[in-house]
Amino acid sequence: MRLAVNGCELFVEVLGPQLVPEGPSMRERPTLVLLHGGPGADHSIFRPLLDPLADMAQLLLYDHRGNGRSGASEPAHWNLAQWADDLAALLHQLGIERPVVYGASFGGMVAQAFATRHPTQLAALILESTAARGGAFTAQRIAKFAELGGPEVEALARRRLVDGDTSEAVYADWLRLCVPLYTRQPLPSEWFARIQGRSAVTQWFTRPQGEGLLFDFRAALAAVRCPVLLMGGSDDPMVPIENLHELAAALAQAPLQVEVFEGCRHILAHDEPVRFFATMRRFLNPGSWT
């Protein structure tokens, strides 16, 4: 469905009911909001990868403004504060109170913006393969890409991450050479074919002096008090594991669970699905938060 939110049309999907029959009553299940990565990708990167979680939670998925099937909006509104405020408005419009918010990669940055701007509107926070600040641990990123992909990939990583080249040619090479290294085993070709990419928002966010390099949530995260699950892969080239430890330090005041997936890269549900889903299911049980 398409909903008008903060002056922009967002593409939204809901999987599973909020209430399920249980004897003589209806039991409420948690709502899990899934914030996709990118920027410039869409919610299809979670489908059907995370669909199994719909057996224990209602899943809310949508494309951030400027991304996928949502309205393009304009560059002035392609920022973390706006994306976070869009989520707050969407939840209000749908009547969803205090969901569990899950953000992966760039979606984890939006989730941090939401948690720090709207702290009373979420029950718990899940951050996977993401960073507390932009431009962090660049040397480690380049070293890991070089280790996994060789000299050509290392040169491309330097061109994009150090030189700040956000051209269409570099973006195309990145999709061809670097994105396949995000997982231990190749993602299926149909996974990529389903994504409605928006390279313009990617280039805007990651440009030199863009927010993707300048944001820093470390100080603001100290105020987060809801339960938090942090997950990251030890061999992630895009978001090195040092980011996970930095996030954990910034979230020291929150009830915190930290899970390092040894040998995994950027997409944990693909690299180690059994452990990923077991970890998610344990955390989604509200009894685990007390």
Side-chain angles (χ1 to χ4, degrees):
M1 60 181 157
R2 299 179 185 277
L3 298 175
V5 176
N6 287 339
C8 182
E9 187 178 77
L10 300 185
F11 184 87
V12 182
E13 285 196 308
V14 178
L15 302 184
Q18 186 178 37
L19 299 175
V20 294
E22 192 171 83
S25 62
M26 299 293 285
R27 176 172 58 86
E28 184 173 358
R29 306 192 310 163
T31 296
L32 178 63
V33 181
L34 304 177
L35 303 181
H36 70 77
D42 63 21
H43 80 283
S44 73
I45 64 177
F46 291 139
R47 305 286 318 280
L49 191 64
L50 300 188
D51 285 10
L53 293 171
D55 70 355
M56 69 174 302
Q58 181 184 63
L59 305 186
L60 173 63
L61 309 95
Y62 69 99
D63 297 345
H64 306 293
R65 74 165 61 218
N67 292 247
R69 295 163 179 80
S70 288
S73 189
E74 57 188 19
H77 297 291
W78 295 345
N79 58 74
L80 293 169
Q82 180 68 67
W83 286 313
D85 292 349
D86 286 347
L87 173 55
L90 176 62
L91 293 174
H92 177 75
Q93 186 166 334
L94 294 175
I96 296 174
E97 297 181 356
R98 303 189 73 246
V100 179
V101 175
Y102 163 96
S105 192
F106 161 75
M109 301 167 195
V110 178
Q112 291 174 73
F114 179 77
T116 53
R117 291 175 67 83
H118 305 278
T120 64
Q121 293 190 34
L122 75 169
L125 178 65
I126 303 174
L127 301 176
E128 177 193 342
S129 304
T130 194
R133 58 189 172 105
F137 305 109
T138 299
Q140 289 88 336
R141 295 171 79 184
I142 292 171
K144 183 59 70 173
F145 273 119
E147 174 189 333
L148 298 175
E152 184 180 12
V153 168
E154 179 182 10
L156 178 60
R158 289 187 181 279
R159 188 172 174 184
R160 183 182 184 192
L161 302 177
V162 177
D163 299 341
D165 190 335
T166 60
S167 66
E168 287 284 356
V170 165
Y171 182 64
D173 285 343
W174 190 269
L175 294 177
R176 178 174 59 89
L177 295 174
C178 292
V179 172
L181 300 176
Y182 285 16
T183 54
R184 289 187 305 209
Q185 299 296 324
L187 289 158
S189 58
E190 59 266 25
W191 187 87
F192 293 99
R194 288 192 293 262
I195 298 173
Q196 291 197 6
R198 299 269 190 90
S199 61
V201 70
T202 309
Q203 293 168 326
W204 175 262
F205 189 72
T206 61
R207 74 195 190 282
Q209 300 305 308
E211 190 178 22
L213 293 177
L214 300 179
F215 79 90
D216 190 341
F217 289 117
R218 288 176 295 175
L221 288 172
V224 173
R225 294 294 186 271
C226 70
V228 181
L229 170 62
L230 297 181
M231 298 185 290
S234 65
D235 290 341
D236 187 345
M238 192 59 184
V239 184
I241 197 64
E242 288 85 355
N243 289 279
L244 186 75
H245 303 310
E246 186 169 76
L247 272 168
L251 287 159
Q253 302 304 313
L256 189 61
Q257 178 182 340
V258 180
E259 298 285 342
V260 176
F261 286 64
E262 294 294 337
C264 293
R265 300 185 190 175
H266 196 58
I267 305 177
L268 303 179
H270 180 79
D271 278 358
E272 198 167 324
V274 173
R275 181 181 173 191
F276 173 84
F277 284 108
T279 302
M280 290 286 287
R281 290 178 189 282
R282 283 195 303 271
F283 188 75
L284 286 171
N285 178 2
S288 68
W289 305 341
T290 58

